[in-house]
Amino acid sequence: MTHWMTDSDKPDDQSELAVKPRTKPQRPPMYKVLMLNDDFTPMEFVVHVLERLFNMTHAQAIEIMLTVHRKGVAVVGVFSHEVAETKVAQVMELARRQQHPLQCTMEKE
């Protein structure tokens, strides 16, 4: 049996459900990977890490390494949380294996 809606069955304008405006899906938060300066890790090793783990050219790696050296810290990349976490762990592991005190960390962008 089909039920036809009459005017008395329709909700009045006040009771209609409010339609939420469409919002863009939120981009996940991004994280900056930071490399910190120390007085012991060789500059060549830092360049090697930047080339190998962050896919930088030799020139880019030297520029970032010099920024770390001069300013004490530099952003070496911006990634999703999982990727940033992995990059930090890779840097720390590589430095530890080579017995360098190089420090790498991440913070929310």
Side-chain angles (χ1 to χ4, degrees):
M1 177 174 160
T2 306
H3 174 74
W4 295 99
M5 192 181 274
T6 64
D7 282 344
S8 61
D9 294 331
K10 288 181 185 173
D12 60 9
D13 286 338
Q14 267 67 36
S15 67
E16 284 199 37
L17 291 175
V19 178
K20 269 180 119 178
R22 282 190 176 214
T23 55
K24 289 182 187 168
Q26 284 241 308
R27 199 179 79 155
M30 299 298 279
Y31 290 80
K32 297 185 282 191
V33 174
L34 306 165
M35 197 166 280
L36 309 175
N37 189 44
D38 65 74
D39 293 330
F40 304 101
T41 304
M43 291 179 174
E44 298 79 24
F45 179 75
V46 175
V47 170
H48 169 73
V49 167
L50 293 169
E51 290 172 341
R52 181 168 165 200
L53 299 180
F54 295 91
N55 299 316
M56 291 184 186
T57 65
H58 190 67
Q60 289 170 324
I62 287 174
E63 190 176 322
I64 295 291
M65 176 274 298
L66 289 172
T67 301
V68 172
H69 181 69
R70 290 183 187 127
K71 296 187 177 178
V73 64
V75 175
V76 296
V78 179
F79 308 96
S80 68
H81 186 269
E82 293 76 20
V83 173
E85 213 170 42
T86 301
K87 295 281 187 191
V88 168
Q90 289 173 330
V91 170
M92 299 300 287
E93 173 62 20
L94 198 55
R96 188 188 61 75
R97 278 193 305 207
Q98 297 296 316
Q99 298 181 334
H100 296 307
L102 181 63
Q103 292 294 302
C104 188
T105 187
M106 62 190 263
E107 66 181 35
K108 205 170 192 174
E109 186 177 42

